Amino acid sequence: MNDHVIEASDLAKTFPGGRVAVHGLDLTVPTGAVYGLIGRNGAGKTTTLRMLLGLLRPNRGTARILGQDLWHAPRAVRQRVAYVSQEQQLPSHQCAAQLCLHLAKLHDRWDHRLAGKILARFGIPPEAPLWALSGGDQRKVAVALAFASRPDVLVLDEPAAGLDPIARRQLIEEMVEFLADGDGRTVLFSTHIIADLERVADQIGIMDRGRMVAGGSLEGLQSDMRRVQIIFDGGSVPAGFTVPGMVRSRAEGPVLTALVRLSGEDPLAALRNQPGLRINEFPLGLEDLFIELLDRQPADDPANPWWISPA
Amino acid sequence: MNPPSPNPRPPVTDASAWLALLENEWRRHRHALTGLLLFWIIGFWILLLLPHPAFHMVVGLLYCVLFAGPQAGADVMDGTEEFSFSLPTGRGPLFLARMTPGLAFILIVGGLGGLGSAFDLPQKLWSLVFDSGLTEPFAPVRDRFWYPLAVCIPLAVYAITFSLAALTRTRGSVGLAWLPAALATGAIIGIATIMENLLWRNANTLLLCPLLIATATVVLVIGHQLYLRKEATKAGGQAAGSSIWGWSMVVIAILIFVVVLSGFFFRARFVKEAPAIRTQQIHGN
Amino acid sequence: MAPLHLQIDPHSGLPVYRQLMDQLRSYIASGALKAGDQLPSIRELAKTLAVNPSTVVKAYGELEHLGVIESQQGRGAFVAERAPRWPESHRRDRLAALAGQLALEAAQMGASEDEILDALRTAIDRLARSPHSNPSQPE
């Protein structure tokens, strides 16, 4: 079996009307990983996922799940991939029970009992027609259906959007159970909620304006990236001052705040002994990292974004 | 890799999955289908109201106008296209499963109805039950061309309506897809009739019916192929992009223009030759 | 098996598996988990804490590597019989790092050396008295 269960290479999509949603994106998800895709609204996360799933046709590049282009893959392969989309509408005239019965005939591995269990845990009455349920409840039904098909690959696009914190927690618990109950199961999900990512993700991809700007293992990013604060005694930051391994920085008065990637020996060693400045280092939570990376500064050139190579 | 499914069931194959889709379509539209079917049965077989084969054609066309569009474009209207396209079966079987009820309806209504009209079957069936002597055996309509047309015309309209509604990305086009279909079929009838008049001096549907069947087949095949390539429309509203509706209207407008133009051209010739033709026919019969 | 109160703070810069390891080690060091006690299964712990099972796998793996726990085939993970002993250098380094953090923050607050030592002693006492409390939280 291939090492990477999800692979996208040089994926690009331009919508009619000229809007470029995705520019040459590369994405790999190893088997058994939980990959979190984060980015601001409009970064192209949903478009990327839809291209991976064979819902949108890319203008360039390839997108494969389980080694196949899902657009042309046979049913036996497609049934191993489950998808819950952000804007998804389920057939509203049916109830959850009917949908389960219908989907059971399309999936080899459908598990009715699991479907019932998850619906009960979410508090969804299985006989209620979907049009009578709230948006959050409909999302829960979609999630239950996805888990009940016992896929090898689970793709979730902002699954927690519109869910209250308790339901979000239940969703995470279901995901954890899903991971624990099978071997080699892979999850790819996009989200805004960093706390959820920090709990379950082991691989991260940060997208901005259609490009992948940071990627790699969550642990690697967290351990390698630091916020470094240098306070200059002189009262202002010397012009053109750089910190080795610096990715981004901003200067306010005597304080230079920089996002620094540590690698190998301590790149700040030289600075620590320098007189006239004080150095503070702070570990970065993922949310801080996200904000540091994606908060746009006037000096940014949108055509040439910086890039952090995967750890 | 995965624990075995705890619920033993008959195994799912591609064929059984397709049947499941078909069953779902039937369950979804059964009220509409049975309603129209009942209307036809009552009107023709039971009450013997309208024995003329054109009735079957009208019922078939009613199906196209009322149900073909919403059936094909159900996903676009409800915003469920992402869901449907991410089902394991994929787009192809979905298209075919949705196409089948309408196709079957038109073939049954047109076919059985045509037979019934040709051989006065409703009265014969009733006479098995009782003989009231109230009605006379209905002489079958002499113009034989109505019988094949009862199937072929709705078939062509259905095929175009279905394909347009399935491929469109805008909600409004789904309900109105029958309009360009009707116009296109009208144009085909016009052109074929003119050509038949040229070839055989008589509109005998020898060219029209095969042409209609061929059109229906081609349109459905092309529609199926294009559907396989269709990008899923979003749930939120009308998707950006060119609408099939707009393009088909352009094509139909061109067709109508061609028909009208050729009509004028050939009418000039017919008017001159008409008296001679009629005399010939009277003597020939 | 004593009820384990493990707290995972996803926001701290510390990876989840490290937090798990540290907390389990403190449980074992404090005696709340004795030699031979069974640890929760990976699946169970992952579900309780709502974290990726592979994180628990990693934490248990590292702990096993350090000799703190041992896993018995088919039966689960247990606290190792021999007392968990960190190599001297590791203990020294770890303590130095923790002490450095404490000293820095205290200096930024302007605390005196006595205050720092006082706080340290109180925390040690508290941990000895009630092993399940979180010494970082005010009582």
Side-chain angles (χ1 to χ4, degrees), chain B residues 26-167:
Chain B
W26 164 254
R27 192 178 307 120
R28 189 175 171 165
H29 300 282
R30 64 181 183 280
H31 297 300
L33 270 172
T34 47
L36 198 57
L37 203 62
L38 267 174
F39 170 73
W40 174 67
I41 290 175
I42 292 174
F44 177 68
W45 294 96
I46 296 182
L47 293 181
L48 309 163
L49 281 178
L50 298 154
H52 195 284
F55 177 59
H56 313 300
M57 188 174 77
V58 167
V59 171
L61 288 173
L62 263 178
Y63 185 94
C64 296
V65 171
L66 295 174
F67 304 132
Q71 223 175 334
D75 280 334
V76 178
M77 289 209 305
D78 296 342
T80 53
E81 198 147 78
E82 259 197 37
F83 173 77
S84 295
F85 282 5
S86 49
L87 290 176
T89 38
R91 294 162 171 82
L94 201 58
F95 184 92
L96 295 173
R98 290 197 174 138
M99 179 189 84
T100 303
L103 215 56
F105 185 92
I106 287 172
L107 290 173
I108 289 174
V109 165
L112 281 183
L115 283 174
S117 292
F119 301 114
D120 198 20
L121 287 179
Q123 294 222 36
K124 294 211 176 79
L125 286 172
W126 274 116
S127 68
L128 294 172
V129 177
F130 70 95
D131 211 333
S132 65
L134 284 173
T135 61
E136 292 174 3
F138 182 74
V141 173
R142 201 161 288 275
D143 292 325
R144 306 286 273 278
F145 62 80
W146 281 113
Y147 298 99
L149 281 184
V151 172
C152 294
I153 290 183
L155 197 64
V157 175
Y158 177 75
I160 301 175
T161 309
F162 187 88
S163 293
L164 285 179
L167 293 171

Side-chain angles (χ1 to χ4, degrees), chain A residues 13 16 31 43 72 77 94 97 104 119 158 174-175 187 210 214 222 228 247 249-250 253 260 266 269 279 291:
Chain A
K13 179 70 179 170
T31 314
H72 305 296
V77 172
Q94 294 186 303
L119 286 172
E158 310 246 3
E174 288 301 332
M175 206 190 295
V187 178
Q222 280 181 318
V228 172
V247 175
S249 68
R250 61 177 180 276
V260 173
D266 183 12
I279 301 184
I291 292 172

Side-chain angles (χ1 to χ4, degrees), chain B residues 5 25 38 76 123 154 171-172 189 192 200 206 212 217 219 225 237 257 268 279 281 285:
Chain B
S5 172
E25 289 302 312
L38 267 174
V76 178
Q123 294 222 36
R171 273 199 210 105
I189 294 174
W200 297 294
L206 272 184
L212 285 172
T217 314
V219 165
Q225 290 304 307
F257 184 68
T279 330
Q281 278 184 331
N285 273 355

Side-chain angles (χ1 to χ4, degrees), chain A residues 272-293:
Chain A
R272 284 185 217 282
N273 298 325
Q274 222 173 317
L277 50 85
R278 273 175 295 147
I279 301 184
N280 291 328
E281 269 179 81
F282 304 96
L284 277 177
L286 194 53
E287 184 150 2
D288 295 325
L289 180 62
F290 182 67
I291 292 172
E292 285 284 346
L293 282 177

